Amino acid sequence: MKTKKQNKSSAFEKFASHVSKAAGSTPAFISAFLIVVVWAISGPFFGYSETWQLVINTGTTIITFLMVFLIQKAQNKDSLAIQLKLNELVASNEYSSNSLVDIESMTEEEMIIVQKYYQHLSALAKKDKSIRNSHSIAEAHEQHQRKDKTKTKPSTPNSTKK
């Protein structure tokens, strides 16, 4: 059973996600653009007064201030979801290093060591002179057969066999 705090957090996450998506939409951009155009056109009617300038400055500052937090909340959730998906891919591949699962907690120096490893792998792949040598149809077939052989559990109603 969810607590009130969890419900509020979930509601805020949903709100932040919806607002973030809406703010990045074409209608939102067109609306903001039209507001600026109307504001600019209204300038002569208000004599380009300080109040006229204050309206747009205050409005954009408040909206920007609030949007920073909403977008960051949505970004944090999306980033965590991507990290978890990548962790699942790393953990599920028998050839990948499990140390990569929690790489975001490594120091920059440790990450540079890992980066050098992958740069070395890239250099070795470049020596093949052709992508066909490192990504062949036969290699894909072998990999599929190897994975297919490791499937020992029968399908359950909640899973699908690929």
Side-chain angles (χ1 to χ4, degrees):
M1 190 165 153
K2 287 188 174 183
T3 65
K4 282 186 178 184
K5 186 177 179 181
Q6 288 172 323
N7 285 336
K8 285 181 183 178
S9 178
S10 178
F12 181 66
E13 286 177 8
K14 288 178 185 176
F15 175 73
S17 180
H18 290 304
V19 170
S20 181
K21 287 178 184 172
S25 69
T26 301
F29 173 79
I30 292 171
S31 298
F33 181 77
L34 290 176
I35 288 170
V36 171
V37 168
V38 167
W39 171 80
I41 291 171
S42 70
F45 298 108
F46 293 100
Y48 300 104
S49 68
E50 287 184 22
T51 304
W52 173 78
Q53 293 175 26
L54 189 61
V55 166
I56 197 74
N57 289 338
T58 304
T60 56
T61 301
I62 291 169
I63 290 170
T64 302
F65 179 75
L66 295 174
M67 287 302 294
V68 164
F69 296 102
L70 287 174
I71 291 171
Q72 188 61 51
K73 177 65 175 173
Q75 180 71 32
N76 288 348
K77 185 178 177 191
D78 290 346
S79 180
L80 180 59
I82 289 169
Q83 287 300 318
L84 292 172
K85 288 176 182 180
L86 291 172
N87 288 347
E88 174 62 19
L89 291 172
V90 169
S92 67
N93 186 327
E94 65 181 290
Y95 296 110
S96 65
S97 170
N98 286 341
S99 65
L100 294 178
V101 169
D102 194 30
I103 195 166
E104 58 274 2
S105 67
M106 287 183 180
T107 65
E108 187 174 351
E109 292 80 22
E110 291 170 328
M111 286 185 194
I112 290 170
I113 292 168
V114 175
Q115 180 187 34
K116 287 179 182 176
Y117 169 79
Y118 287 107
Q119 287 172 339
H120 183 71
L121 278 180
S122 176
L124 291 173
K126 286 178 184 174
K127 287 181 182 178
D128 286 340
K129 294 188 174 121
S130 170
I131 195 165
R132 290 187 181 107
N133 292 341
S134 61
H135 291 85
S136 67
I137 300 297
E139 179 186 25
H141 184 67
E142 289 171 12
Q143 184 176 4
H144 175 75
Q145 286 181 332
R146 184 176 60 251
K147 285 185 175 185
D148 199 38
K149 287 179 184 177
T150 61
K151 293 179 186 176
T152 57
K153 296 179 183 177
S155 287
T156 62
N158 294 334
S159 67
T160 58
K161 190 174 182 179
K162 293 183 180 177

